[in-house]
Amino acid sequence: MFDRPASGECAVLVHLDLGVKADKDELDEFELLSTSAGAEIVAFVRGSRQRPDRRLFVGKGKAEEIKDVIAAEEAKLVIFNHALSPSQERNLEQEFQCRVVDRTGLILDIFAQRARTFEGKLQVELAQLRHLSTRLVRGWTHLERQKGGIGLRGPGETQLETDRRLLGKRISLLRQRLEKVATQREQGRKGRSKAMVPTVSLVGYTNAGKSTLFNRITESDVYAADQLFATLDPTLRRLELPNEGAVVLADTVGFISHLPHELVAAFRSTLQETTSADLLLHVIDVASPQRGVCIAEVNDVLKQIGANKVPQVEIYNKIDLMDEGEPRVERDEDGVVRRIWLSAQTGAGIELLVEALAEFFHQEHVREILRLSATDGRLHAQLYQLGQVYQDQALDDGGWEMDVELPIRDYEQLIGQDEALVKRLLATVQ
């Protein structure tokens, strides 16, 4: 047994081609993930096998090669672009005498650095503990010791068993807290549903430009950067559509290939904003050579969380980086908008997206002539905000006579707030 070494940032990357040779973009993404986590890459070891070795994943010969590279570069960390079993991770650490992290652990580490809100931190910690609970194997000498000392002697419980028990308690506590957060989110969704305000959710591969597009269309200042998983915590903003009322736009976490199941489970309440949306805007990096693979990966995750049946419009972003011509809209044979080509960075084509959203949520309008009293000032202002006013005549008693057209959704909502509004109708304009 050995004492697990302290954390180090000088890292050796390892990737095996298991039957199929990896393309350059997949390897570039692995390097970007590693640097995003704060690793300083000192070497990249590649190899190929038909199937992973049961004990060391890479096989004895390749393990010796990696061991030599670690010694030559004085590396303190080895990162695998694969999911390792707990026993493989333990055996590799014993072989290399340094810390070993697999792809799942790497992504979890990035998420831990990016989480900002209370909910995001809870979700990441839960995912990390679920992952760690499968790693409590005897790879650390301190986990073998019996508890001892005054006040600490027990019925022979080992430190390993204690850690398992404490992990279980912490996981249970985190689940309870996240359930409360999920309940609050569900109440918010029910409130929006009751108010008949539809939700549009931005989804896409990480670093596709979702947050930049979100900021551009809502005039917000959500953190956006050219890095993986810049946004973890969902952000909601109200967006007014021309002549169609308001929608809620939701910016969500980006997806990635081989997204750890622990993260999908932990972020389920966050991803619920996607499954309950009325429309998905699938943001695609048009400049990525692997955009077809990225689209497939996103659709696979959407299927995992049960959002594959939600209507979807593909947003081909970053046309400013490619020779893709002018912003444009593509429709299917039924005339329904399916793709929009734009640049969130420059703003080119944003008006096409807003028009497409207005078209998607287009609904029947009601045109009414209303007589309001002098005490209806608030309603008078709401009608200007929600609809199109054709005529607004001031009356001698301080009230108003208004000819106004409203989306039927907003009209029904106003009636729900003030049933007396029906009595104020003078005529329905045909």
Side-chain angles (χ1 to χ4, degrees):
M1 297 297 176
F2 70 98
D3 285 321
R4 198 169 197 234
S7 170
E9 302 303 329
C10 293
V12 174
L13 306 189
V14 178
H15 175 87
L16 287 189
D17 295 323
L18 299 174
V20 180
K21 187 175 181 180
D23 54 49
K24 182 179 182 298
D25 290 286
E26 182 180 351
L27 300 178
D28 288 344
E29 180 182 90
F30 177 38
E31 290 190 18
L32 186 55
L33 279 171
S34 302
T35 54
S36 296
E40 179 184 343
I41 303 172
V42 295
F44 198 140
V45 179
R46 294 190 59 183
S48 61
R49 291 178 63 92
Q50 286 302 312
R51 62 185 61 86
D53 180 75
R54 292 180 61 183
R55 182 174 177 274
L56 295 173
F57 190 86
V58 294
K60 187 64 177 177
K62 184 61 67 174
E64 287 293 335
E65 178 186 341
I66 298 171
K67 191 173 181 180
D68 292 340
V69 173
I70 294 170
E73 300 293 341
E74 297 183 349
K76 302 298 182 183
L77 173 66
V78 179
I79 305 176
F80 278 73
N81 193 25
H82 310 276
L84 301 176
S85 70
S87 61
Q88 287 170 338
E89 188 174 307
R90 174 198 62 193
N91 294 335
L92 288 167
E93 288 193 336
Q94 289 176 331
E95 186 76 20
F96 300 152
Q97 290 295 298
C98 72
R99 192 160 57 101
V100 173
V101 175
D102 67 354
R103 183 182 176 89
T104 299
L106 177 63
I107 295 176
L108 287 173
D109 185 82
I110 297 173
F111 269 61
Q113 295 180 44
R114 300 282 193 269
R116 293 291 180 268
T117 65
F118 175 70
E119 181 186 8
K121 292 176 180 179
L122 285 180
Q123 290 168 327
V124 172
E125 184 180 355
L126 178 59
Q128 286 180 316
L129 291 182
R130 280 175 169 165
H131 183 65
L132 180 60
S133 65
T134 66
R135 260 69 184 159
L136 286 183
V137 292
R138 296 182 183 275
W140 297 266
T141 53
H142 79 277
L143 297 183
E144 298 179 297
R145 303 186 190 119
Q146 294 280 344
K147 292 173 64 178
I150 297 174
L152 294 177
R153 295 186 180 92
E157 182 180 49
T158 65
Q159 185 65 47
L160 181 64
E161 292 164 341
T162 302
D163 286 357
R164 282 200 181 108
R165 178 168 50 80
L166 293 176
L167 270 179
K169 286 185 176 181
R170 182 63 180 169
I171 288 174
S172 177
L173 177 62
L174 290 174
R175 282 174 174 166
Q176 292 174 13
R177 290 181 177 177
L178 281 172
E179 284 175 3
K180 291 182 180 179
V181 176
T183 300
Q184 293 171 350
R185 283 196 173 279
E186 184 60 30
Q187 289 173 345
R189 280 189 289 269
K190 287 182 179 178
R192 294 195 298 271
S193 177
K194 187 176 181 180
M196 292 179 288
V197 179
T199 301
V200 179
S201 184
L202 293 173
V203 299
Y205 209 77
T206 184
N207 207 28
K210 296 183 300 301
S211 296
T212 302
L213 178 61
F214 182 86
N215 288 338
R216 176 70 67 174
I217 196 173
T218 63
E219 298 182 354
S220 302
D221 57 354
V222 172
Y223 178 70
D226 185 16
Q227 60 182 212
L228 302 183
F229 305 117
T231 302
L232 286 189
D233 307 302
T235 307
L236 306 179
R237 292 289 186 274
R238 184 183 179 94
L239 175 64
E240 294 289 340
L241 298 178
N243 301 321
E244 297 300 334
V247 299
V248 171
L249 195 64
D251 185 20
T252 59
V253 63
F255 302 149
I256 198 170
S257 60
H258 312 301
L259 190 67
H261 293 293
E262 293 92 341
L263 279 177
V264 174
F267 278 74
R268 190 161 295 280
S269 64
T270 298
L271 296 173
Q272 189 67 28
E273 296 292 350
T274 298
T275 59
S276 62
D278 297 279
L279 176 67
L280 300 182
L281 297 182
H282 182 171
V283 183
I284 299 163
D285 182 357
V286 72
S288 171
Q290 294 297 308
R291 71 187 188 199
V293 175
C294 295
I295 293 171
E297 291 286 352
V298 170
N299 287 330
D300 181 59
V301 175
L302 291 176
K303 186 176 181 180
Q304 287 183 46
I305 64 176
N308 55 314
K309 299 295 179 63
V310 180
Q312 182 182 127
V313 174
E314 294 180 339
I315 308 299
Y316 282 77
N317 188 28
K318 304 185 183 182
I319 61 172
D320 55 305
L321 301 181
M322 301 290 290
D323 185 18
E324 294 291 347
E326 296 297 317
R328 62 188 186 275
V329 173
E330 293 183 6
R331 301 174 181 269
D332 61 16
E333 59 274 10
D334 297 321
V336 178
V337 175
R338 292 303 180 194
R339 297 181 184 88
I340 302 174
W341 298 71
L342 53 75
S343 171
Q345 187 66 40
T346 65
I350 295 299
E351 71 284 352
L352 298 178
L353 174 56
V354 174
E355 291 170 4
L357 289 174
E359 179 181 324
F360 182 86
F361 291 107
H362 176 70
Q363 54 188 311
E364 295 296 325
H365 285 63
V366 176
R367 187 172 176 181
E368 306 278 13
I369 297 177
L370 304 172
R371 175 171 290 169
L372 308 183
S373 68
T375 59
D376 290 326
R378 183 176 180 181
L379 177 58
H380 182 263
Q382 278 185 302
L383 291 172
Y384 267 98
Q385 182 181 8
L386 297 175
Q388 182 173 355
V389 178
Y390 294 98
Q391 182 179 347
D392 184 4
Q393 181 180 352
L395 303 177
D396 294 338
D397 61 1
W400 304 270
E401 185 173 303
M402 301 181 70
D403 180 356
V404 61
E405 183 177 358
L406 297 169
I408 194 169
R409 181 184 69 212
D410 293 329
Y411 176 68
E412 291 175 350
Q413 183 180 352
L414 284 176
I415 291 178
Q417 293 175 353
D418 185 1
E419 295 181 359
L421 178 65
V422 179
K423 300 177 182 178
R424 298 177 179 137
L425 297 180
L426 293 180
T428 299
V429 181
Q430 300 296 330

